[in-house]
Amino acid sequence: MHTPDQKPRNRLWTLFTSMLTISSFTFGGGFVIVTLMKRKFVDELHWMTEEEMLDIAAMAQSSPGAIAVNAANLVGWRVGGFAGMLTSVIATIIPPMAILTVISIFYAAFASNPYVSQALRGMQAGVAAVILDVVCGLGIKEFHSHSALRLCILGAAFIAAFVLDVNVIYIILATALVGVISALAARKRGGAK
């Protein structure tokens, strides 16, 4: 799906600089980085489809570890195989490692600085807006799927998380199980014909 005129080395460089930039300006966790990755790799570069990005977001969320690194791993693999995976993950972890190193050295000064505290509060509002954008974008896509099962899963997962305060791990496991059962049932129906 990558552009045919781009050589593998150029594609890896584009992947590296894209992930480095995205990771450098991502505050708020994995859902924010997934949004920025979608805009870059689906909307701008057209290296992936929106459906592939949704699958990657789901796999990154349901795998152990940081969503940002998991998503970078999967996008890198999809774009450039093993070399793409290494490139993407390295580019993704460089900015947080550098920032955390500086913060750990000057922790006392950062912790008590009122300007830093206010900047972090301001970023919280921006992060909430970006996460809301992701939720609305993915939710609208599910509504447009016109799949009764997917809409039921969406509603049940929302109620379980928001109303019943069920642990997200159980929600992910339950929805994955429903997805597997649905796929097996569809395969069985297809094989029976």
Side-chain angles (χ1 to χ4, degrees), residues 134-163:
V134 173
V135 169
C136 291
L138 294 176
I140 288 169
K141 176 137 177 77
E142 287 305 312
F143 281 109
H144 288 294
S145 74
H146 302 293
S147 166
L149 177 63
R150 289 168 74 167
L151 291 175
C152 286
I153 291 172
L154 178 69
F158 174 78
I159 291 169
F162 190 72
V163 177

Side-chain angles (χ1 to χ4, degrees), residues 8-164:
R9 180 178 285 172
N10 293 339
R11 196 168 54 249
L12 289 178
W13 177 248
T14 302
L15 178 64
F16 180 82
T17 56
S18 298
M19 290 307 300
L20 188 68
T21 303
I22 289 169
S23 183
S24 297
F25 297 101
T26 300
F27 295 93
F31 293 114
V32 177
I33 200 168
V34 168
T35 302
L36 298 176
M37 290 167 78
K38 181 218 174 262
R39 287 188 181 145
K40 184 68 175 181
F41 300 116
V42 175
D43 300 337
E44 185 182 325
L45 295 174
H46 306 289
W47 285 355
M48 303 168 64
T49 66
E50 194 165 315
E51 190 68 31
E52 287 174 316
M53 195 65 220
L54 284 171
D55 290 343
I56 284 174
M59 287 186 286
Q61 167 74 27
S62 58
S63 300
I67 296 172
V69 175
N70 292 344
N73 186 348
L74 294 167
V75 167
W77 183 265
R78 170 64 183 86
V79 170
F82 185 75
M85 180 189 68
L86 285 178
T87 301
S88 184
V89 169
I90 289 170
T92 301
I93 63 173
I94 288 173
M97 293 299 290
I99 291 168
L100 288 173
T101 300
V102 170
I103 289 175
S104 67
I105 292 170
F106 301 105
Y107 179 74
F110 277 111
S112 61
N113 188 316
Y115 298 109
V116 171
S117 174
Q118 291 304 316
L120 291 174
R121 284 207 173 134
M123 286 191 304
Q124 286 175 352
V127 166
V130 171
I131 290 173
L132 183 61
D133 177 50
V134 173
V135 169
C136 291
L138 294 176
I140 288 169
K141 176 137 177 77
E142 287 305 312
F143 281 109
H144 288 294
S145 74
H146 302 293
S147 166
L149 177 63
R150 289 168 74 167
L151 291 175
C152 286
I153 291 172
L154 178 69
F158 174 78
I159 291 169
F162 190 72
V163 177
L164 303 175

